[in-house]
């Protein structure tokens, strides 16, 4: 069906990732095609093509008949000037919908099915309803391990893929990843400079926080630019052996970013989706060797050892099938790592460890050294068992600090790093006792309510960890916030249950 | 958190069912609450409260700082004047989300869980992502029969419920329902006047087409108003013993309408959801006795007899538990019923049967008499086996026609009924043969592309049915459309495969 040409008009409405097209009710196109047919439309202009939801307008101040209004994001995606000619047509349902329906009905999908689905997702041809349906239908144990492999392959194929082989000449390209869920666990910012100082290539891209108070990208952003175009990222890694960048700008595994936007509100993080998400990003980034950290604890993502072992096998199967060397470490996830929770506080802990400060959090240092040691042992010239010592020497000598400073300078140092939130509330022990447990989930929620990670200086600063003896009224942790409303929300949650369990002193 | 008061401004954008709130980027509230585009907010004004999605605006021509713009639907839902004071707050996630997550994880839900979920759905507190997650997680055989019962109960409890006991003094309130999937199957418009003429109360509310080219409400709308406030609907039933209204205005089982809006794009129609949807509407409408039509055929919703029997048992279990008398008829669903597909054409067939016209479609007449006969036998004064003859006498005598005319007048007769689409395309037999099969799904899709049901005069007019012998080039069916583009789409699909299978004449 050929519908009349329209003229692009930018409508200054920010609808985020959802493209909206605005047409006047008396626009010829609306009459000719009927509104039902136009519920979802394809907009074509300047050789670009985007999918959009149609809103019908009765106000010529917003859009006139003959014009095609587009929301901010859609306008920048089309990259044309106002007044440029555009065409719209009813969107065809994505071709892979029949495969999605078969998955919903409980069938196993083939490699071709999963490639078709992921292509449509990466091409923004799935509605939110269809995305949610895919996420739920592939949830839990619904994906066989072959399907997880196909999904991972498809997610790699749908984006760009980096290749460092010219730089490493057959040597390993290493990375580490933690599956998340432990507040304060900012080991990457220590591990990357240590491993890079050892001379290995470590092109680390990280996510921003999904449901946590800070991701590595959020914390690194306190110190440096993290939104780097792919070409600059490659230059930085060649110059400094490493980077700590946000993965979202790199067009690596774009379907993953879209699926996360649906998994997040549903708080779904099932084994198959986690494996495909993590491994697709790593392989697309060009890594050949990966150390994977699976923390286990009563308030961690993985609660029991059998569950951790099952997850490990699935990671190993998919990584092995795709030629990625994988070393899985199952670690203690019983409490937060380090002291700070929130970007500014976590960056402070990282710098204290790099400076070998006497008050640097020992647990953060220890865990980073263990992870870095295992990564260094991917080096064929390093003897098994020597990695930890090499990592410690690099850290103690200040070479890791120098390496991170070089990476920060290469990425672009923040002239004025954000400050710690000046609104403070102190949470104290109701009675004397020994700290028996700290609830990861609750501390993460409190830090998020305080404003992290949107407000980098917001968060929670822990003064005591599991095993410490505290007196009645002694400070357990401080809340930091920038806005009074945020502080009030966080304080309220901490008052219901502060997340610390104290047991009587023996 | 108390945020500043804003002033309502109507934004003339029709966002269709999704409430959108527009705030200027420099509005104090956006800053103070840290709101982001696409956040969910609660808008309060004039004692009303609605949920909306936030769009952030940079154009003071659309909305100024200090104003709260609301989309057309949201504006009419709030029912306040422009400039009225309003408050906005970030939406709390619905309380039943934890139960939804347990269902996604594969657990069985309790009565309380399902009531909480349905309350949140009916209260418009679920996002599309959450609705899709619920629909997929309760799909297929995922619901135990007890869960289907709780879901049905909860859907009844979430809306209004009619009570006709004063009118019938203990007598039956009857209804019929077809599970759908068979084009042209407009028996309700015959059954209701027959049964009403027999003196039984039949308050029939119907849906509009979901994935079909016409629902009973769409076809009745060719002749009369169908969007009736609940009070008028009750008056009409008391005056004429029956009605043929659209169920959506009656606030009966409102969660059902919301779930359908998600089931439709996913084309999900699983047994549990179907049973809960149908029985909740019937019981909320005050019916005590129901005849249920389950058509079986290779291109019907239910394809095999064992599947039909399983569905029958589930309907019987839930109806029995809720005190509804149920009589299930498993019928022939191997081809369309009647000749017309599309509102105007189907209304024509119905009127031909009521007028006892010699060319009235015999299959439509026969099926309507069988259904009406079974309903009449719910009358304690009718002997078993007598229903069909009574129904036939009422139809042949013209009393059914008179009864439908009375119902049409009571609901509000359309002064100018819509006309048949004047753009016509004829589909002819490629070779001589006998019609061996007609594909329900394909004919329905062709009729929808031609414009039905949005364009009431669009559709397909079948000239031959299964068993007819046709010559090469003889007319099989006519397409009717109003818009050239629609006709082109429908013609194209019919050219690929016209939906008729011919076999060589013996």
């Amino acid at each position: 069906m050929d519908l009349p040409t329209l003229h692009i008009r930018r409508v200054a409405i920010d609808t985020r990732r959802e493209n909206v097209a605005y047409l006047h009710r008396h626009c010829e196109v609306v009459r000719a095609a009927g509104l039902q047919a136009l519920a979802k439309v394809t907009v074509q202009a300047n050789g670009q093509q985007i999918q959009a939801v149609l809103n019908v307008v009765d106000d010529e101040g917003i859009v006139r008949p003959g014009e095609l209004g587009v929301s901010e994001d859609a306008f920048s995606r089309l990259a044309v000037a106002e007044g440029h000619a555009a065409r719209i047509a009813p969107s065809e349902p994505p071709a892979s919908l029949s495969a999605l329906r078969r998955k919903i009905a409980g069938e196993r999908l083939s490699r071709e099915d999963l490639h078709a689905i992921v292509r449509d997702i990466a091409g923004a041809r799935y509605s939110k309803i269809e995305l949610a349906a895919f996420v739920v239908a592939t949830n839990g144990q619904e994906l066989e391990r072959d399907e997880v492999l196909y999904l991972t392959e498809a997610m790699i194929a749908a984006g760009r893929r980096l290749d460092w082989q010219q730089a490493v000449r057959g040597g390993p390209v290493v990375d580490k990843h933690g599956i998340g869920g432990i507040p304060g666990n900012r080991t990457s910012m220590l591990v990357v400079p240590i491993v890079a100082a050892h001379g290995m290539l470590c092109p680390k891209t990280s996510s921003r926080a999904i449901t946590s108070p800070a991701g590595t990208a959020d914390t690194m952003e306190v110190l440096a630019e993290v939104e780097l175009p792919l070409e600059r990222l490659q230059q930085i890694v060649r110059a400094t052996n490493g980077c700590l960048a946000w993965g979202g700008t790199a067009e690596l595994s774009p379907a993953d970013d879209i699926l996360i936007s649906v998994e997040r509100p549903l708080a779904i993080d099932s084994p198959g989706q986690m494996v495909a998400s993590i491994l697709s990003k790593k392989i697309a980034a060009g890594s050949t060797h990966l150390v994977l950290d699976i923390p286990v604890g009563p308030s961690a993502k993985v609660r029991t050892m059998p569950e951790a072992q099952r997850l490990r096998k699935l990671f190993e199967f998919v990584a092995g099938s795709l030629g990625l060397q994988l070393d899985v470490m199952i670690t203690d996830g019983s409490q937060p790592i380090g002291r700070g929770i929130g970007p500014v506080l976590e960056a402070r802990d990282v710098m204290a460890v790099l400076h070998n400060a006497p008050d640097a959090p020992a647990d953060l240092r220890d865990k980073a050294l263990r992870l870095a040691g295992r990564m260094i042992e991917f080096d064929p010239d390093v003897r098994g068992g020597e990695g930890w010592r090499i990592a410690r020497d690099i850290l103690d000598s200040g070479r890791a600090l120098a390496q991170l400073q070089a990476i920060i300078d290469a990425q672009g140092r923040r002239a004025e790093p954000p400050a710690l939130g000046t609104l403070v509330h102190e949470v104290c022990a109701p009675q004397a006792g020994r700290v028996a447990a700290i609830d990861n989930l609750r501390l993460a929620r409190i830090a998020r309510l305080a404003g992290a990670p949107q407000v980098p200086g917001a968060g929670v600063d822990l003064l005591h960890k599991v095993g410490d003896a505290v007196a009645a009224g002694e400070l357990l942790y401080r809340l930091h916030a920038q806005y009074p409303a945020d502080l009030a929300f966080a304080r309220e949650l901490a008052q219901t249950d502060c997340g610390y369990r104290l047991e009587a002193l023996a």
Side-chain angles (χ1 to χ4, degrees), chain A:
Chain A
M1 174 169 57
D2 261 2
L3 292 169
T5 304
L6 297 161
H7 298 282
I8 292 277
R9 175 163 171 178
R10 174 184 189 169
V11 175
I13 296 180
D14 175 4
T15 55
R16 276 288 179 101
R17 294 177 139 245
E18 184 164 68
N19 297 325
V20 179
Y22 301 92
L23 284 182
H24 196 279
R25 192 176 301 277
H26 300 133
C27 179
E28 211 184 325
V29 170
V30 173
R31 270 192 29 80
L35 275 180
Q36 200 62 33
L38 292 176
K40 258 187 94 180
V41 295
T42 303
V43 176
Q44 288 172 308
N46 198 25
Q48 294 288 319
Q49 178 167 319
I50 61 168
Q51 308 289 316
V53 167
L54 182 67
N55 280 192
V56 177
V57 177
D58 287 294
D59 178 350
E60 299 203 1
I62 298 172
V63 67
R64 281 190 293 266
E67 288 179 335
L68 172 66
V70 288
S71 56
E72 293 281 19
D73 257 30
F75 183 76
S76 66
R77 235 163 266 176
L78 287 171
V80 294
E82 284 201 290
H84 196 286
R87 280 182 176 282
I88 72 172
S91 281
E92 291 294 309
S96 64
L97 224 51
S98 67
L100 170 60
R101 291 196 186 114
R102 277 186 281 119
K103 187 72 228 173
I104 293 171
E107 290 183 31
R108 281 178 73 165
L109 295 185
S110 68
R111 171 176 270 134
E112 290 65 38
D113 289 332
L114 280 157
H115 276 260
I117 288 175
V118 169
R119 257 197 313 274
D120 278 335
I121 291 174
R125 288 184 286 275
Y126 267 34
S127 69
K128 283 202 185 144
I129 289 173
E130 289 152 359
L131 287 172
F134 179 73
V135 164
V136 174
T138 58
N139 175 54
Q141 307 301 321
E142 299 293 331
L143 288 179
E144 296 279 341
R145 63 184 207 168
D146 281 334
E147 292 177 286
V148 178
L149 171 60
Y150 304 149
L151 178 61
T152 311
E153 275 179 11
M155 285 167 73
I156 298 166
R160 296 181 64 169
R161 186 166 176 176
L162 305 186
D163 183 355
W164 307 97
Q165 286 312 310
Q166 264 203 308
V168 297
R169 293 197 211 102
V173 177
V174 298
D175 203 347
K176 75 148 278 271
H177 195 90
I179 67 159
I182 310 299
N185 194 16
R186 277 297 77 69
T187 51
S188 293
M189 286 175 68
L190 297 164
V191 164
V192 171
I194 291 172
V195 171
H198 175 69
M200 296 171 95
L201 218 65
C202 185
K204 173 123 186 84
T205 61
S206 313
S207 61
R208 293 187 179 281
I210 299 175
T211 54
S212 74
T216 293
D218 303 299
T219 303
M220 183 67 178
E221 201 173 30
V222 170
L223 308 170
E225 294 293 325
V226 297
E227 301 199 359
L228 304 166
L230 199 49
E231 283 62 37
R232 253 201 70 211
L233 195 145
Q234 288 171 293
Q235 288 165 0
I236 292 165
V237 172
R238 288 205 191 89
T240 68
N241 282 353
C243 69
L244 283 149
W246 176 50
T249 34
E251 299 154 66
L252 308 171
S253 191
D256 186 45
D257 299 321
I258 294 172
L259 286 172
I260 284 174
S261 73
V262 171
E263 286 160 13
R264 181 181 178 158
L266 293 174
I268 285 184
D269 200 356
S270 67
Q273 290 161 6
M274 187 194 294
V275 169
S277 168
I278 292 173
L279 296 185
S280 68
K281 287 273 193 205
K282 297 301 163 194
I283 293 171
S287 297
T288 59
H289 292 69
L290 176 67
V291 170
L292 185 78
D293 170 22
I294 303 183
V296 180
S299 59
K301 269 190 193 168
V302 175
R303 312 233 159 159
T304 65
M305 277 304 286
E307 203 186 323
Q309 293 293 3
R310 251 198 331 268
L311 188 57
R312 193 192 109 200
K313 305 279 177 189
L314 186 58
F315 268 108
E316 287 172 346
F317 168 74
V318 175
S321 304
L322 295 171
L324 178 74
Q325 297 289 325
L326 179 68
D327 191 357
V328 174
M329 286 176 68
I330 296 179
T331 61
D332 172 22
S334 64
Q335 63 171 336
I337 301 284
R339 278 204 281 276
I341 302 172
V344 168
L345 288 163
E346 296 183 28
R348 178 203 65 187
D349 285 356
V350 164
M351 294 314 291
V353 172
L354 286 171
H355 279 103
N356 297 304
D359 62 344
D363 57 345
L364 180 61
R365 173 187 156 97
D366 290 347
K367 185 166 178 183
L369 287 179
R370 285 205 298 139
L371 291 165
R374 295 281 275 266
M375 287 166 80
I376 288 172
E377 292 187 13
F378 283 140
D379 179 349
D381 297 335
V382 170
R383 286 174 62 95
E386 284 292 283
W388 184 85
R389 197 195 44 74
I390 296 172
R392 191 204 52 195
D393 290 350
I394 292 172
L395 182 61
D396 287 351
S397 66
R399 286 164 59 208
L401 174 61
Q403 196 77 27
L404 186 66
Q405 300 291 16
I407 293 172
I408 289 172
D409 284 327
Q411 292 190 192
R413 186 181 292 273
R414 291 283 291 269
E416 289 182 39
L420 193 56
T422 49
L423 302 178
V424 174
H425 173 74
E426 304 202 321
V427 175
C428 300
Q431 77 273 353
R434 191 178 303 280
V435 179
I438 303 178
D439 184 330
N440 290 311
L441 288 169
R442 181 149 286 258
L443 270 296
R445 268 194 78 198
I446 292 171
R448 281 180 69 86
L449 283 181
Q454 278 78 27
V455 178
V460 174
D461 199 9
L462 307 179
L463 278 289
H464 286 289
K465 302 288 289 282
V466 169
D468 290 359
V470 294
E474 195 179 335
L475 187 56
L476 294 177
Y477 59 84
R478 265 191 214 98
L479 303 180
H480 289 269
Q482 184 176 339
Y483 300 113
D486 291 346
L487 189 69
F489 280 139
R491 197 172 54 201
E492 209 172 291
L493 189 64
Q495 266 157 7
T496 333
D497 172 357
C498 75
Y500 272 61
R501 193 161 57 73
L502 299 177
E503 61 191 5
L505 288 164

